[in-house]
């Protein structure tokens, strides 16, 4: 995620679902603007270091996800973090409006939980345990929906 104080409280939601689905993860601050060399190094070595998916959360002029995507062929999921002045519309467009040929799969503003689900879904293509965890979680979610309001 980026270096803003707003980022981790939101990205914790991603950690939450990854824990539930038992997907191994690492959380780091990799600021596109303030630590560009760290970002470059992280993205370039991510595949070699065993990452299967990268979830990148940033807000405002949110270049992190797009720049990471430009440096790796791993799937990159962008989480636009809500900003104060424009309520995250700036973040959403920065993350989502990628040029043809470099892709960021973008979730909703503050959609870190769904980013975790999507990451798990990608991992489940080559990890049977994660697949069954995800299927079970989806079943439980369906069962938890009431037929009528109370
Ligand atoms: C903050 O600026 C946001 O939270 C966002 O993640 C950040 C982007 O700046 P860098 O971390 O790339 O410096 O407002």
């Amino acid at each position: 995620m980026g270096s803003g104080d707003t980022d981790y409280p939101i990205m914790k939601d991603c950690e939450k679902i990854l824990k539930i689905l038992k997907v191994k993860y690492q959380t780091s601050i990799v600021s596109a603007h303030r630590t560009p060399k760290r970002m470059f190094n992280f993205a370039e070595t991510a595949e070699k270091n065993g990452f299967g998916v990268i979830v990148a959360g940033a807000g405002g002029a949110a270049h992190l996800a797009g720049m990471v995507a430009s440096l790796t062929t791993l799937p990159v999921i962008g989480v636009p973090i809500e900003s104060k002045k424009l309520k995250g519309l700036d973040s959403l467009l920065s993350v989502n409006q990628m040029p043809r040929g470099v892709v960021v799969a973008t979730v909703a503003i503050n959609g870190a939980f769904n980013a975790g689900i999507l990451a798990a879904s990608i991992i489940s293509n080559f990890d049977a345990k994660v697949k069954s965890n995800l299927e079970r979680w989806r079943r439980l979610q369906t069962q938890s929906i009431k037929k009528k309001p109370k």
Side-chain angles (χ1 to χ4, degrees):
M1 72 197 82
S3 62
D5 291 343
T6 45
D7 299 353
Y8 190 45
I10 298 300
M11 295 308 288
K12 276 183 179 169
D13 243 4
C14 183
E15 294 185 320
K16 189 175 167 185
I17 185 68
L18 292 177
K19 271 182 208 153
I20 291 170
L21 299 174
K22 296 192 170 44
V23 176
K24 278 191 248 163
Y25 67 90
Q26 179 190 300
T27 306
S28 316
I29 293 173
V30 183
S31 163
H33 307 102
R34 284 168 244 276
T35 64
K37 288 181 182 160
R38 194 191 299 174
M39 180 203 64
F40 195 95
N41 184 51
F42 170 80
E44 277 220 321
T45 58
E47 190 164 0
K48 190 181 77 191
N49 288 335
F51 288 91
V53 185
I54 298 169
V55 179
H63 296 117
L64 179 62
M67 287 306 298
V68 167
S70 76
L71 292 161
T72 180
T73 54
L74 288 172
V76 177
I77 303 169
V79 182
I81 307 281
E82 187 173 343
S83 56
K84 273 199 190 124
K85 288 184 183 143
L86 297 176
K87 306 275 181 221
L89 183 59
D90 44 354
S91 324
L92 177 64
L93 298 179
S94 304
V95 176
N96 153 301
Q97 288 296 103
M98 289 296 290
R100 180 183 166 108
V102 185
V103 185
V104 172
T106 310
V107 295
I109 296 168
N110 289 349
F113 194 81
N114 274 2
I117 295 174
L118 181 55
S121 178
I122 293 167
I123 297 291
S124 76
N125 279 322
F126 46 89
D127 186 321
K129 189 75 193 115
V130 172
K131 188 162 187 67
S132 76
N133 292 345
L134 183 58
E135 285 170 350
R136 180 168 180 276
W137 186 85
R138 288 284 296 267
R139 258 195 321 275
L140 292 174
Q141 177 175 243
T142 299
Q143 285 163 14
S144 76
I145 304 302
K146 295 178 184 64
K147 289 202 174 135
K148 289 183 179 174
K150 279 196 175 170

